[in-house]
Amino acid sequence: MTTAMHEGSGASFEALDGWVVRTDVVGESGIVAIEPEDDGAAYRASLVLIVEELGEITFADWQDLADASLPATLVDYQLLDAELVTVGGSPGGRRLAHYATDEGRSVTMEQWFTKADGRGYVLTATVDTLRYDLFADELSRAAGSLSLPGARR
Amino acid sequence: MSAITDAQFEALVRERDDVKPATLAAVPELASVAGLREALEAAAQPRLRVVISVAQPGLTLVHRVWVGDQAATYLAALDDTSRQLIVTTPEFLGSGLARLVGLGPRTGESIGAGDSLDPADIDRLFGEKASERDAALARTGATAAWMIAVDAENGEMASCVLDRPDGYVEAVADEAGVRLEARTPTYLWRILGSLLLQVDPVDAHDLSSIDPTTLDDTAQGI
């Protein structure tokens, strides 16, 4: 397992075996773990943890905004599943969706999100749809490893 | 996307190498369908075929899908006789099927999961008698039911799913009969999204690697 840690918040998760942790993709707002290029996949699966300051914005309002903005920003967006689950030890949620990338690829996106101590944490897994079934259990395990040191438990 | 009848579509497939002007003139919108040639070739020589019957109160829609080397071709039923021709790249098959069955979040736990189902009700759900279909839907508490049948080069599969307000349940046959198993939308997506693997896995990888730019504007799902 490879640990991906976001320096700014101290949040971390265990990426999949052999995946590469990148700190230069989303800047200070998060951390990325990506499937190695030498696996030969046409689309490289990834896990992206984004941390944002929410202040007084409630969890519900924050996610209502996400539900409204995702279909507007992602082509062919299709919400497939949504549920309330514990994320990083805090009440949170999970959504599963499909969309088309700018390159016309069919990808499946799975997100786990929670709000803790005024911060919003979103872990997004993206994989080409054909391989989602192959990755789903491992991605779920990665989400289960999400640790939020600053969160009240 | 264009409305078309089965007969018009079958004529197009027959004439795919040299479509007659009269055939095309019957459905003029087809001239602008991107990837039409690939779509007809897929229907003529499919690697994988899917038939989805969606039963709802008052209506059963039977959709047909063919997946070839370059395209997935959907003849989506609008009613008993009218179809909509849709073309995507093969890798969008799961997305297209999910739209046809209306896959999406469901709240609550599936009450009754683990219950048995009268096998005759499956026949009634997808049979020709509307009254029996509607009665079977009411009896099973389903707002809709779908039967998906997949015929690929290396095998076949079929599945019957009931869409209920409290969640999805799949009819699973065993020695004791037919029982209902709760299925999450994620579970169902894992199956639909990977159906292309029903063809040879190596070939499936090739199909998913098709450059989508070779089919203009076709990778937009349904």
Side-chain angles (χ1 to χ4, degrees):
Chain A
M1 288 289 184
T2 304
T3 301
M5 174 170 283
H6 176 236
E7 293 293 341
S9 65
S12 66
F13 64 92
E14 300 296 333
L16 279 65
D17 276 340
W19 281 28
V20 180
V21 175
R22 297 273 300 269
T23 59
D24 58 338
V25 179
V26 293
E28 295 179 354
S29 62
I31 188 84
V32 173
I34 189 165
E35 181 181 17
E37 199 164 11
D38 56 12
D39 276 5
Y43 182 90
R44 293 171 70 186
S46 65
L47 280 160
V48 180
L49 174 64
I50 296 292
V51 183
E52 57 183 313
E53 296 294 337
L54 294 180
E56 298 304 312
I57 299 174
T58 66
F59 174 84
D61 286 347
W62 176 46
Q63 285 307 308
D64 284 348
L65 189 62
D67 284 331
S69 64
L70 286 168
T73 54
L74 297 174
V75 175
D76 198 22
Y77 180 81
Q78 231 175 320
L79 181 63
L80 300 164
D81 202 356
E83 61 178 343
L84 295 174
V85 295
T86 298
V87 176
S90 295
R94 182 185 76 95
R95 69 167 58 82
L96 181 75
H98 166 272
Y99 68 91
T101 67
D102 291 343
E103 293 75 32
R105 295 275 170 214
S106 167
V107 295
T108 295
M109 175 189 84
E110 191 164 14
Q111 285 188 329
W112 295 264
F113 41 86
T114 188
K115 181 186 178 188
D117 288 341
R119 282 175 169 159
Y121 298 85
V122 182
L123 180 63
T124 302
T126 311
V127 58
D128 49 290
T129 294
L130 185 62
R131 295 191 302 156
Y132 171 69
D133 183 48
L134 302 175
F135 277 86
D137 292 338
E138 287 188 86
L139 295 173
S140 184
R141 272 195 291 276
S145 75
L146 183 62
S147 173
L148 314 177
R152 297 186 197 93
R153 299 295 177 109
Chain B
M1 295 186 284
S2 308
I4 187 171
T5 65
D6 287 335
Q8 289 170 331
F9 180 73
E10 285 158 12
L12 282 167
V13 173
R14 275 196 311 273
E15 301 169 8
R16 63 189 180 280
D17 291 330
D18 186 17
V19 178
K20 295 173 183 169
T23 305
L24 210 51
V27 194
E29 302 92 338
L30 284 179
S32 62
V33 171
L36 180 61
R37 174 178 291 274
E38 292 89 347
L40 298 178
E41 192 60 33
Q45 299 190 46
R47 309 291 302 277
L48 180 147
R49 287 178 293 182
V50 185
V51 177
I52 306 178
S53 301
V54 181
Q56 307 161 73
L59 180 68
T60 297
L61 297 175
V62 180
H63 311 292
R64 290 187 290 162
V65 186
W66 299 264
V67 183
D69 291 333
Q70 297 290 327
T73 307
Y74 308 75
L75 211 50
L78 302 174
D79 53 36
D80 285 344
T81 58
S82 186
R83 315 281 179 247
Q84 189 174 45
L85 177 63
I86 301 160
V87 188
T88 72
T89 51
E91 67 179 283
F92 279 77
L93 175 66
S95 168
L97 297 179
R99 288 190 189 279
L100 289 174
V101 300
L103 184 67
R106 293 293 181 271
T107 56
E109 299 297 321
S110 290
I111 301 166
D115 286 355
S116 61
L117 178 69
D118 180 354
D121 267 343
I122 296 179
D123 295 333
R124 296 184 187 107
L125 283 169
F126 302 103
E128 294 188 352
K129 293 186 178 176
S131 59
E132 290 191 354
R133 175 200 56 215
D134 291 356
L137 284 168
R139 202 160 37 246
T140 55
T143 55
W146 21 286
M147 174 72 79
I148 179 167
V150 181
D151 181 6
E153 289 174 337
N154 66 341
E156 299 175 348
M157 64 157 281
S159 177
C160 172
V161 174
L162 304 182
D163 186 353
R164 308 198 306 197
D166 52 344
Y168 294 103
V169 288
E170 182 181 16
V172 179
D174 59 19
E175 293 171 353
V178 179
R179 67 181 192 283
L180 297 175
E181 292 288 329
R183 300 301 190 204
T184 65
T186 297
Y187 176 95
L188 296 170
W189 175 247
R190 290 177 68 160
I191 294 172
L192 295 179
S194 59
L195 265 189
L196 216 49
L197 294 172
Q198 292 293 318
V199 300
D200 183 273
V202 175
D203 285 345
H205 180 77
D206 290 343
L207 291 173
S208 71
S209 302
I210 291 170
D211 181 353
T213 59
T214 60
L215 292 178
D216 295 339
D217 304 322
T218 56
Q220 302 304 315
I222 291 178

